[in-house]
Amino acid sequence: MALRIATRRRCVPRGLGRDGSYIGADHMALNEGSTLPEITMPAALRAAALANHVNISASNSSAPWSCWPAFFVRADGVVTGRLERHQAGILVSTVHPTGNL
């Protein structure tokens, strides 16, 4: 499935309507987002942090609209900070390089 380039209004793969027709209305309440990038990217970054035992700072874009809010993932896959979506902000996270997970 080819993805459209993110626009200012939405970041939606082809075949996914605003009503969530591709994801399914019965699954919308179970997910953090309403589009595939909003659902899959944060989950993929949490999995990558855990699998590779690295901290990940996931920034959004500098555009006024972004597919997901900026957030920080600890090496054990736990999100320790998140900004508001579509709002400018600075996220400061503390990293313990020698901490046990």
Side-chain angles (χ1 to χ4, degrees):
M1 171 185 276
L3 294 178
R4 291 183 191 173
I5 296 175
T7 63
R8 291 187 68 196
R9 295 198 156 204
R10 60 186 194 167
C11 183
V12 181
R14 290 186 183 144
L16 178 65
R18 281 204 179 272
D19 63 347
S21 57
Y22 181 80
I23 296 170
D26 52 335
H27 301 297
M28 292 300 288
L30 302 173
N31 293 289
E32 295 177 18
S34 60
T35 66
L36 288 179
E38 291 172 1
I39 295 168
T40 59
M41 292 306 293
L45 291 172
R46 287 192 301 266
L50 180 60
N52 297 300
H53 200 69
V54 295
N55 295 306
I56 297 177
S57 176
S59 62
N60 53 14
S61 69
S62 60
W65 193 93
S66 60
C67 291
W68 57 83
F71 60 97
F72 186 84
V73 184
R74 220 170 43 193
D76 58 357
V78 175
V79 175
T80 60
R82 182 182 305 264
L83 294 178
E84 292 294 320
R85 189 171 160 197
H86 309 314
Q87 305 242 346
I90 297 174
L91 178 62
V92 178
S93 297
T94 303
V95 177
H96 300 285
T98 59
N100 294 328
L101 297 175

